[in-house]
Amino acid sequence: MTREQDIKNAVEVLRKGGVILYPTDTVWGIGCDATNAEAVKRVYEIKQRDDSKALICLVDSDARMQRYVRNVPDVAWQLIDSLQGPDGEPSRTKPTTLILDGAINLAPNLIAEDGSIALRITQEPFSKELCYRFQKALVSTSANISGQPAAQNYCDIAPELLEAVDYVCWSRRQEHQPHQPSCIIRLREDGEVTIIRS
């Protein structure tokens, strides 16, 4: 299957409120439409995770990120610029998720109690194209049952997860490489910066 067809299939499932497994810029992820509360609820159920623990979302661009945060602080743009290589190319630094205040236009059960949301602009070709084609933020939580190790590669995904979702992407299934979860940095509107996971 071509990457183009794989993305087309995944987008069709996402638009119907389905849940997918897909490769990201870090580990394999469980994904759904970040604006669909029912789909988000299913992701929590599949992961057997308490819905008080917020999930990360992926977007494909700065512009898309601005649709989901009321006011992106200047320090966030400085950080995003520093994480990208020349001409917006992916840099060699670890993918970084930003927790930002004032989440908007997302499923209520995705937003943390304090009104924040964890967002990451992906530079990895498959997930970036998937987000671009879908035209919305995509939930991206590690493909594992809560408390178990994250699936670094397709071969690490538990059989019950493969059966629980509506579509499993074909791209990058053959990989056997170490992949790490992203760094997580909390940026408050007042400019306070906290590193949650390095």
Side-chain angles (χ1 to χ4, degrees), residues 27-53:
V27 295
W28 269 69
I30 303 174
C32 73
D33 177 350
T35 67
N36 183 326
E38 278 302 310
V40 170
K41 182 170 176 262
R42 266 193 67 207
V43 171
Y44 281 116
E45 288 167 355
I46 289 168
K47 270 188 80 81
Q48 297 169 29
R49 181 171 174 168
D50 183 352
D51 67 5
S52 66
K53 293 183 178 176

Side-chain angles (χ1 to χ4, degrees), residues 86-104:
D87 301 321
E89 288 296 309
S91 75
R92 296 278 169 253
T93 56
K94 195 173 176 184
T96 300
T97 300
L98 302 180
I99 300 178
L100 300 168
D101 291 323
I104 52 171

Side-chain angles (χ1 to χ4, degrees), residues 13-27:
V13 170
L14 292 165
R15 286 197 177 129
K16 290 176 185 163
V19 176
I20 66 168
L21 281 167
Y22 67 111
T24 75
D25 53 342
T26 59
V27 295

